[in-house]
Amino acid sequence: MSSSKLEEGGPPGEAAPEILDGRIWVDGCWDFFHHGHAGAMLQARQLGTELYVGIHSDESILENKGPTVMTLEERIAAVDACRWVTQSVPYAPYVTSLPWISHYGCKYVVHGDDITSDSSGEDCYRFVKAAGRFKVVKRTPSISTTDLVGRMLLCTRTHFIKSLTKLLAGEEGHGTTEEKKATGADMTERMRLYATDETGLHPGSSVWFWTASIEARETDTEEEKGVFSCLSQGSQPKPGQRVVYVDGGFDLFSSGHIEFLRQVIKAEEKLGSEEGWYSKEAVEERVGKGADYGPVFVIAGVHDDEVINHWKGVNYPIMNIYERGLCVLQCKYINSVIFGAPFSPTRSYLTSTPWGTPDAVYHGPTSFMPLTYDPYTAPKEMGIYREIGKHDFAAVNAGQIVQRILKSRDMYEERQRVKGVKGIGEEATRTREKLEEEQRKREEKS
């Protein structure tokens, strides 16, 4: 059955037995998922006890808004990975339908304070508004799909952050001293909010910073323990859990990153199963002490902008470290995030983490970062290195997403124009393509 027939024919499956005040509905395109999308979901989740997320089809988005960058399957993966989502609902109609939300037992629909229109220029939420079943939350400032597309096409670097800790402290940034402090305080509060648990109300993930020299962060030439500092203390590893470490740029946080993280969890669950983690006795023991939990605690190290640009050039990362870190924080597969993690996790770094030496360091099938040496020499020598093999989304990374934009520039230009954004033009696109080609040649020589 086509997506249009699915949307017009009504929601699939049995209807919920009742409509619940605490079951909230949000819907959208969720095209290359960013922290603004996650912010909408977080605010919606805080208004209830469950969150159902409608995802529009590629066809309905094309008809009403323009082309998507990510496929429906990739967008579903991104929504399902958000820790505040209870259930995703693919093929949700572009104009929010009362029968659809009622079918899933949702009383209220939540959306940001911006206007969303269909292809006829009418409000997509007109029916739920008329029924008194609509609630408004604040739109996340300074981030949108349109902004990110602009960065890709214009090759700008103004989004880079030199020192995240100084920016949060109000010591760097734009404006007066008071404005910089206010901006830093707002950004810090947002980080704390994204570190909440699945309710969006209580502490969940821990947020850490690692401070060291640029040599220690960028290459493996310097063995430094560095300094770990905590912004937000969340959950800690529970008895019996293995602590595992992953790291990366996580630029344009997408299905490639998400599937890698999901596979890490699956690998650890398989190991746990082999060691009796899911035996009746083990489960009863954990439940008897409070509640059951999984066998793994995942820590994600996120590299800063300067480090990624050193390796990848052009204007990568497309998202700065703050934006990338928030994307990682909202992911349900992560328990703690370290901002400013080194490109090479050395022995000094790994043995100095707040959790001690991890039980495993996982790496995925990346082809995005050009490497002139093996950054995982230390964990291999320590016997804790593990690899995740190829998976369905292994080829999806920031570079591929940029290429998708470049190949369909005319369509995305029209999408930008409809949103009132000044056209980028062919010259800017040619510049981007030239820079990408020069970077590829440098990588080949390396």
Side-chain angles (χ1 to χ4, degrees):
M1 186 181 291
S2 70
S3 62
S4 60
K5 287 184 178 178
L6 269 171
E7 291 166 17
E8 292 167 8
E14 284 189 36
E18 59 181 322
I19 294 175
L20 304 172
D21 285 357
R23 185 174 291 173
I24 304 296
W25 174 279
V26 297
D27 55 27
C29 305
W30 318 115
D31 202 13
F32 55 99
F33 200 85
H34 53 68
H35 76 85
H37 295 139
M41 293 181 183
L42 168 58
Q43 292 180 78
R45 179 62 179 82
Q46 290 173 328
L47 295 174
T49 54
E50 295 178 280
L51 181 63
Y52 280 52
V53 181
I55 307 170
H56 308 318
S57 68
D58 297 343
E59 294 81 2
S60 66
I61 297 170
L62 180 62
E63 178 186 345
N64 289 278
K65 186 176 184 178
T68 57
V69 181
M70 315 303 288
T71 67
L72 178 61
E73 291 73 21
E74 291 165 347
R75 293 183 288 114
I76 291 171
V79 170
D80 283 342
C82 180
R83 74 172 72 248
W84 304 297
V85 173
T86 306
Q87 182 178 321
S88 64
V89 183
Y91 300 103
Y94 200 83
V95 176
T96 306
S97 158
L98 281 167
W100 269 73
I101 67 168
S102 297
H103 177 89
Y104 288 100
C106 300
K107 178 69 175 287
Y108 295 105
V109 175
V110 170
H111 188 66
D113 51 10
D114 54 328
I115 298 172
T116 302
S117 304
D118 62 15
S119 57
S120 302
E122 293 189 84
D123 188 342
C124 289
Y125 296 96
R126 56 190 181 273
F127 299 119
V128 291
K129 285 180 178 179
R133 292 169 65 176
F134 184 78
K135 294 186 177 185
V136 177
V137 294
K138 289 183 178 180
R139 185 177 178 278
T140 305
S142 305
I143 187 72
S144 71
T145 302
T146 305
D147 294 335
L148 295 173
V149 170
R151 292 179 194 176
M152 293 180 209
L153 294 175
L154 286 171
C155 297
T156 54
R157 297 189 185 194
T158 53
H159 59 284
F160 284 9
I161 292 175
K162 187 175 181 181
S163 170
L164 181 57
T165 51
K166 289 183 178 180
L167 185 63
L168 296 177
E171 297 171 10
E172 288 186 0
H174 304 289
T176 64
T177 300
E178 291 74 20
E179 288 170 338
K180 284 188 283 190
K181 286 184 177 179
T183 298
D186 288 344
M187 291 176 69
T188 301
E189 178 58 23
R190 188 169 301 282
M191 291 178 80
R192 294 184 194 278
L193 284 171
Y194 281 54
T196 53
D197 65 4
E198 65 275 7
T199 70
L201 300 171
H202 309 292
S205 302
S206 295
V207 179
W208 289 80
F209 299 98
W210 189 68
T211 307
S213 69
I214 184 59
E215 291 80 13
R217 286 182 286 121
E218 205 166 72
T219 67
D220 64 347
T221 57
E222 289 295 325
E223 280 272 341
E224 290 183 23
K225 290 183 178 180
V227 177
F228 287 91
S229 55
C230 184
L231 173 77
S232 177
Q233 187 67 269
S235 62
Q236 295 296 303
K238 297 180 175 65
Q241 280 187 322
R242 278 167 51 89
V243 174
V244 307
Y245 180 79
V246 299
D247 62 4
F250 301 106
D251 195 15
L252 297 177
F253 191 73
S254 62
S255 53
H257 306 116
I258 291 164
E259 184 59 19
F260 161 67
L261 294 170
R262 193 178 76 86
Q263 292 293 336
V264 168
I265 300 292
K266 284 184 67 177
E268 288 293 316
E269 287 176 342
K270 183 175 183 292
L271 182 62
S273 180
E274 293 169 354
E275 296 179 350
W277 183 269
Y278 299 102
S279 69
K280 182 180 178 182
E281 296 78 9
V283 172
E284 287 178 349
E285 182 180 353
R286 291 192 295 272
V287 171
K289 293 180 179 179
D292 198 11
Y293 51 86
V296 61
F297 185 93
V298 181
I299 303 158
V302 183
H303 310 318
D304 64 29
D305 300 344
E306 186 176 7
V307 169
I308 294 175
N309 192 254
H310 167 80
W311 286 100
K312 195 58 191 173
V314 195
N315 72 326
Y316 292 108
I318 305 300
M319 287 178 173
N320 62 46
I321 186 171
Y322 178 72
E323 296 162 343
R324 293 180 285 111
L326 290 180
C327 287
V328 177
L329 266 177
Q330 62 82 37
C331 181
K332 68 182 181 182
Y333 303 125
I334 298 298
N335 302 103
S336 186
V337 175
I338 301 173
F339 286 80
F343 191 75
S344 296
T346 62
R347 183 182 294 268
S348 295
Y349 171 78
L350 292 171
T351 57
S352 302
T353 77
W355 308 271
T357 304
D359 295 291
V361 174
Y362 279 87
H363 183 54
T366 180
S367 58
F368 180 56
M369 284 292 189
L371 302 176
T372 55
Y373 72 99
D374 183 357
Y376 295 97
T377 300
K380 286 177 180 178
E381 291 175 347
M382 296 165 72
I384 58 174
Y385 180 78
R386 303 287 183 272
E387 271 191 8
I388 296 297
K390 292 283 184 179
H391 52 74
D392 290 345
F393 299 119
V396 184
N397 55 46
Q400 192 200 70
I401 294 170
V402 169
Q403 290 306 312
R404 291 183 189 183
I405 294 286
L406 292 176
K407 285 178 182 177
S408 303
R409 181 185 66 83
D410 291 343
M411 289 191 294
Y412 293 116
E413 278 274 275
E414 175 62 17
R415 177 169 161 173
Q416 304 288 80
R417 187 194 65 75
V418 169
K419 285 179 166 283
V421 179
K422 186 179 179 182
I424 306 297
E426 289 185 19
E427 185 178 346
T429 306
R430 283 198 297 270
T431 299
R432 173 95 213 183
E433 290 170 342
K434 181 181 177 183
L435 290 171
E436 291 277 0
E437 181 61 27
E438 289 173 353
Q439 178 65 19
R440 275 193 291 272
K441 288 179 179 177
R442 279 194 292 269
E443 290 171 15
E444 288 169 4
K445 287 180 180 179
S446 299

